[in-house]
Amino acid sequence: MAGAGAGLFIKLFSNGLRKVPLMREPWEHVLLMGAGAMAANAYVQYETQIEAEVKAMTTKRSEAHFQGVQR
């Protein structure tokens, strides 16, 4: 939802800067809302993936550390 709102804001802001009617080409608003939603979704998936990788690396390092201490 936030990505779609960002896409809509970008188009409205762009039209406002150019001093043209805000809803000049409504199909572009729909495209940018879709692109914004896709970008936000990709960001959330990437963040989740990175979090899982960091957890795996932390677990692996802590296990390796404890195995080295026990020897």
Side-chain angles (χ1 to χ4, degrees):
M1 193 60 129
L8 178 63
F9 173 76
I10 289 170
K11 183 58 183 168
L12 292 174
F13 187 73
S14 171
N15 283 351
L17 283 177
R18 293 183 290 151
K19 307 247 185 213
V20 296
L22 294 181
M23 296 298 284
R24 182 175 171 198
E25 294 173 338
W27 59 270
E28 287 183 357
H29 293 75
V30 174
L31 287 177
L32 284 173
M33 287 174 69
M38 287 176 28
N41 189 29
Y43 175 74
V44 169
Q45 289 177 351
Y46 177 73
E47 192 175 59
T48 304
Q49 175 189 356
I50 294 298
E51 185 178 322
E53 289 176 5
V54 168
K55 274 187 182 178
M57 288 172 54
T58 304
T59 304
K60 184 178 177 182
R61 285 186 180 188
S62 66
E63 288 173 358
H65 175 70
F66 288 126
Q67 287 177 357
V69 171
Q70 292 175 356
R71 288 184 184 177

